[in-house]
Amino acid sequence: MNKNTEQIIFLEPVMKEVLWGGTRLRDDFNYEIPSDHTGECWAVSAHDNGDCVVASGAYKGQTLSSLWKNHRELFGNQEGESFPLLIKIIDAKQDLSIQVHPDDSYAKENENGSLGKTECWYILDCDADASIVVGHNANDNEEVKEMILNGRWDEFIRTIPIKKGDFFQINPGTVHAIKGGTVILETQQNSDITYRVYDYNRLTDGKPRELHIEKSIAVIEAPFDVDSASVKCELVKGDAMDQEKLVSCSYYTVNKQDVHGSVTLKQDNKFRIYSVIDGEGTVDGVAIKKGTHFILPFGYGEYCLEGNMSLISSEQ
Ligand code: ZN
């Protein structure tokens, strides 16, 4: 084993119980979950609401936020108050509420200096008839307001069918919702600012959940730009690895790598995050399998992925 592997930052995920969650984080990923309503695995996170702990190696026992604070050299001395990305696996047994996120400038002004939220979804699995909400059908901001205030939800909400392997970019201002029967890997800016537009008139303990109508109307982009969400992915085939470039925007570059054999790559970025989404293998001889998440730090250089597995990587 290469001594370098001590530098790999393997993380312990944080599980979140939510009303709409299920058991697939246990059934599909073998994670220990707190209840049969577990909806989110915060797999790579330095957020206050779920700060991942390093599982092994040189930094075992430390949180990702403390590495960011005290060992910034691991991330190429990148600037910023907090680790910039957050990776989640989401098990939506039931529909999530319809929501929208602000951009950085709106969040800074209206949410105590918080970051806005750009996110993207890779569909890991879904029911045969599954669908997702991305965008709306209003022609302009005036119509957005009118449709929301008059509850014209069926006309307003744009629902589209999905299948395993689909990928969506959700820019700030995009109305969106994950619907029941869907498991996704989400790569997002490290922010938890969400405006809830509509919750299907559901009740929680006899009461509706809080909505954020005014802020939603203020940030929803109109008309919806279909091309902004449906990214054209580029597939590059290789002997031991096929790579699909999923998206590159100002916050992240996300790729999918299907490894079938042994491939040597180079980490020459500030850092590179990996999530194994299927199969098993090794990184520089260290065993990894579906559900493993790790970060290759700054200066890691060459590394070898070997096995039969699919991974999603992200970096800035
Ligand atoms: Zn969202």
Side-chain angles (χ1 to χ4, degrees), residues 85 187 247-249 251-255 313-316:
L85 297 179
T187 303
V247 71
S248 207
C249 69
Y251 299 104
Y252 45 69
T253 292
V254 180
N255 293 313
S313 72
S314 54
E315 56 202 48
Q316 288 208 298

Side-chain angles (χ1 to χ4, degrees), residues 99 101 117 119 176 186:
Q99 44 188 253
H101 305 296
K117 186 161 155 186
E119 66 189 41
H176 63 281
E186 180 176 85

Side-chain angles (χ1 to χ4, degrees), residues 63-97:
T63 58
L64 185 54
S65 70
S66 73
L67 291 190
W68 181 259
K69 207 166 151 217
N70 305 317
H71 290 284
R72 194 69 67 91
E73 72 280 1
L74 294 171
F75 313 101
N77 292 315
Q78 181 164 329
E79 288 184 12
E81 213 165 294
S82 49
F83 185 74
L85 297 179
L86 175 47
I87 315 296
K88 293 180 188 174
I89 297 176
I90 296 177
D91 168 19
K93 190 176 180 193
Q94 289 164 33
D95 296 348
L96 274 74
S97 59

